[in-house]
Amino acid sequence: MRDDPTLVEQIQRDLRDVRWLGPEEIRAQARRRSQRRIVVATVVLALAGVSAAAVAAPRTSPPVVQPAASASPTRHEITLDALLQPEDLPLPVYVELSQAGLGEPVRLEDTLGRCRTSQGRSDGWQMSILSRSQTLMRKPTQGVLVPGDALVMQDLFRLTPETARQLFTSLDDLVAPCAEWRSVAQWDTPDTSHTAEVIHRWAVVQRGFAGDDAAILRDSLTGPRDVQTGQTLAKAPPPTLLAVVRVGDTVSLLRIADDGTEAKLRQLAVAAAARMCVAANPPC
């Protein structure tokens, strides 16, 4: 990864006395998917090796006409400047957790995937070529980093151009089976344990406001209800919000803190689309 050394030094100074929670706990609480660390430069080197082999091979057909010198080269790696930057957020950002991945599914939301598979359907996720993810955190509270300090979670993927377009043309069909989905699970209280149900209502609520395409998905939930007594066990939580933005062959997923609004998420999606231009094919 091409991390800025000055940023690393600043983070080390700011967080010298911070006691970190385990990364698994942070990612699980923040609904982050688990990803293995991969040096994306390996992909670039591999592609360069393929290109070199093609040049060295003997030609058995007429030479291919080379593109004009002014044509922009195809971009492969997703660099850090293609992600949201601290200045794109209204609050100070003190910690950036960044990862890279190869051949990852574009998981819109785990709950949406479970809804589909519980009905015998595929989860519907498209596969990416490579990806880069980050979590932007606010300043730790009392020296301890907790999941609630996550301001924005972003996954940025490179897909084939057709797959990137297909992700958006299939959004309505993807969400339709989960327009009203009943989820049943154990709900524990200090006194007892209940079998509770929650109704999820998924919908595509906004489209076409950023980049080449964009959408906001919303999951409105009911409060958990005891399936035997009908008793409501807790208030309904805030809706789950997800922004999906496409610029060329890149797609970004954005999630914000639970107190975020659709208006705030839309604003961040517009900023994300502008940043994605440095990685997209074709260039903006």
Side-chain angles (χ1 to χ4, degrees):
M1 299 184 188
R2 300 178 179 176
D3 295 329
D4 184 350
T6 60
L7 175 62
V8 174
E9 293 169 0
Q10 181 63 45
I11 291 175
Q12 290 174 340
R13 288 194 295 270
D14 290 344
L15 303 180
R16 186 174 294 112
D17 298 325
V18 172
R19 177 173 60 83
W20 293 89
L21 293 177
E24 292 81 9
E25 184 176 352
I26 293 176
R27 292 170 191 145
Q29 291 287 341
R31 301 188 302 274
R32 298 281 293 149
R33 59 187 171 83
S34 174
Q35 293 180 307
R36 57 192 174 94
R37 294 179 179 273
I38 299 174
V39 180
V40 179
T42 304
V43 179
V44 180
L45 292 173
L47 291 168
V50 172
S51 299
V55 171
R59 290 182 176 176
T60 58
S61 58
V64 178
V65 176
Q66 297 297 321
S70 59
S72 299
T74 300
R75 293 148 170 173
H76 299 292
E77 183 183 359
I78 297 177
T79 54
L80 289 173
D81 56 352
L83 298 168
L84 282 170
Q85 302 299 306
E87 56 266 30
D88 296 325
L89 275 69
L91 296 176
V93 174
Y94 289 86
V95 180
E96 298 173 76
L97 307 176
S98 180
Q99 297 177 332
L102 182 66
E104 298 281 352
V106 184
R107 298 178 185 275
L108 299 184
E109 181 64 40
D110 287 343
T111 304
L112 180 59
R114 289 198 299 272
C115 166
R116 289 181 56 86
T117 56
S118 71
Q119 302 175 51
R121 306 171 187 269
S122 71
D123 55 25
W125 307 147
Q126 304 286 356
M127 290 298 297
S128 69
I129 299 171
L130 50 84
S131 64
R132 188 177 284 276
S133 304
Q134 69 172 354
T135 302
L136 301 179
M137 313 288 292
R138 64 165 57 93
K139 186 176 181 179
T141 304
Q142 298 179 349
V144 178
L145 186 67
V146 298
D149 288 328
L151 296 175
V152 180
M153 290 160 283
Q154 180 182 19
D155 299 312
L156 179 56
F157 301 90
R158 186 180 305 288
L159 299 85
T160 65
E162 180 57 32
T163 302
R165 290 189 292 268
Q166 177 65 24
L167 190 152
F168 281 86
T169 58
S170 63
L171 265 185
D172 291 325
D173 291 337
L174 185 76
V175 169
C178 302
E180 186 162 330
W181 174 55
R182 177 176 179 263
S183 174
V184 178
Q186 288 300 118
W187 181 274
D188 295 325
T189 64
D191 300 326
T192 185
S193 180
H194 303 262
T195 300
E197 68 172 7
V198 172
I199 305 300
H200 296 258
R201 295 185 174 92
W202 279 95
V204 180
V205 293
Q206 296 189 42
R207 296 200 73 145
F209 52 84
D212 294 323
D213 211 340
I216 290 181
L217 279 63
R218 181 180 65 207
D219 179 20
S220 302
L221 300 84
T222 62
R225 186 181 69 88
D226 190 299
V227 297
Q228 294 181 340
T229 66
Q231 175 190 3
T232 300
L233 304 174
K235 296 190 301 182
T240 299
L241 297 174
L242 169 69
V244 191
V245 185
R246 181 177 72 84
V247 178
D249 62 347
T250 61
V251 171
S252 187
L253 307 183
L254 295 166
R255 303 170 181 84
I256 56 176
D258 290 340
D259 58 353
T261 63
E262 290 182 25
K264 291 179 180 178
L265 185 57
R266 177 169 173 154
Q267 184 177 11
L268 282 175
V270 171
R275 298 288 184 186
M276 291 161 65
C277 280
V278 301
N281 296 301
C284 295

